[in-house]
Amino acid sequence: MKHISLLNPIGETSLSSMEATYKMFSKINEALQSTGKEALFDIQIVGLSDEVVSSGRIFSIRSDTTIHQLKKTDLIVIPAIHGNMKDIVAVNREFVPWIQKQYQLGAEIASLCVGAFLLASTGLLNGRSCTTHWLSANEFSSMFPHVKLMPYKVITDERGIYTSGGAYSSLNLILYLVEKFAGREMAIRSSKMFEIDIERNNQSQFIIFQRQKDHEDLTVRRAQELIEENFRERITVEDLADKLATGRRNFERRFKKATGNTILEYIQRVRIEAAKLSFETSNENVNEVMYNVGYSDSKSFRTTFKRITGLSPTQYKSKYNRQIAV
């Protein structure tokens, strides 16, 4: 039997991720027992103490056991914890040596959504790939620069450490673990029972481009404004550098350092965000939207759109257009 430790951290824990995790593994046990087989998982809620931990304003969670009592586990699941991430990591630092020790003893670890912050604080993610909610990507990278963040991924799996993307995409990671530990048949059964898309593998279609202006480079910020005001027109790096009276090479270096994107990438992202909005709110066809956001080459537009969003323009419009949905 595989022992699963569902952490009960201090802070505003996502009850939905805790409940869903508990239920999905429990349902596997029920399905197995209904056919005369033994349960596969022993699931416990594990906290720092036996005291009830408050989660938000309404609910509280009592742990089944504590890290001081539990000597060995097979899988640690870290739920999402909301709030100031530096404070959350600080108040839950007592979990860190226990998580590190359990991993050394052979346990695997899975973080759900922003639970990746607590996992990263152990140092176990250093040099490894991980994902988290795309809204928290910049903060995560700032706090943990030695982790290879992949904010477009729904799931990462690297040497017994798993992470998931934002919000309800955590269910895809639990489903992934169900398939790994209980087999494909049980995973498909769970996907149908909980209505989860078993093949979903990226967050790109859900990402709202955050126009990176959290920096002090006023020249770069003005360049960003010029791009956002004129993205429908032909924009070149040379034109921007001339307007801002700066050398091209130095300008490109500063832009990349301040925003995390090259100038071309930034222009593409602004245009694709405008295209997404058009697909969501208008009846314009793909070619009309393409021209309206500054593209003249259909292949280039479609390729760039799919690379950034994970969907073709037609797929995106079909999925998110409000008028079609009505």
Side-chain angles (χ1 to χ4, degrees), residues 83-276:
N84 182 292
M85 288 302 162
K86 290 183 179 178
D87 292 343
I88 286 167
V89 167
V91 298
N92 287 288
R93 61 183 175 274
E94 196 176 343
F95 278 113
V96 169
W98 182 79
I99 294 172
Q100 292 170 331
K101 181 179 179 180
Q102 292 301 317
Y103 184 68
Q104 291 169 359
L105 292 173
E108 296 183 297
I109 308 168
S111 69
L112 308 181
C113 189
V114 290
F117 281 80
L118 179 54
L119 174 55
S121 72
T122 67
L124 295 175
L125 281 175
N126 287 350
R128 303 188 190 194
S129 301
C130 94
T131 188
T132 187
H133 199 298
W134 59 267
L135 273 173
S136 300
N138 290 340
E139 182 179 11
F140 185 94
S141 294
S142 176
M143 288 179 63
F144 305 107
H146 300 299
V147 179
K148 299 175 183 177
L149 184 63
M150 305 176 73
Y152 304 125
K153 299 282 284 184
V154 164
I155 296 168
T156 64
D157 173 352
E158 195 164 337
R159 287 177 284 169
I161 296 181
Y162 313 90
T163 63
S164 77
Y168 295 107
S169 66
S170 297
L171 296 175
N172 291 89
L173 175 54
I174 302 304
L175 197 62
Y176 180 84
L177 295 174
V178 165
E179 180 172 357
K180 181 169 184 176
F181 302 139
R184 180 72 174 180
E185 183 179 345
M186 282 297 180
I188 293 173
R189 178 190 178 109
S190 296
S191 74
K192 292 179 178 179
M193 183 180 298
F194 291 94
E195 300 186 13
I196 306 167
D197 181 359
I198 196 170
E199 301 299 341
R200 198 176 128 213
N201 58 17
N202 73 73
Q203 301 186 80
S204 300
Q205 60 191 283
F206 304 108
I207 292 176
I208 302 170
F209 177 45
Q210 304 294 296
R211 296 173 180 174
Q212 305 104 321
K213 295 194 177 77
D214 187 21
H215 58 80
E216 303 302 320
D217 193 321
L218 298 182
T219 298
V220 171
R221 192 173 299 174
R222 179 55 186 149
Q224 291 173 273
E225 292 169 355
L226 286 170
I227 291 169
E228 290 162 17
E229 292 165 2
N230 301 283
F231 67 87
R232 293 178 179 84
E233 310 300 325
R234 182 175 180 273
I235 302 173
T236 67
V237 177
E238 291 83 356
D239 289 340
L240 287 171
D242 287 344
K243 287 181 180 179
L244 297 167
T246 184
R248 171 175 174 164
R249 183 171 297 180
N250 182 50
F251 175 48
E252 289 180 307
R253 179 188 60 78
R254 288 167 61 183
F255 196 98
K256 174 71 172 179
K257 181 180 179 181
T259 69
N261 289 125
T262 66
I263 298 169
L264 177 58
E265 289 169 342
Y266 195 86
I267 294 169
Q268 290 175 336
R269 286 194 155 288
V270 170
R271 286 175 170 168
I272 296 305
E273 193 63 26
K276 286 166 60 180

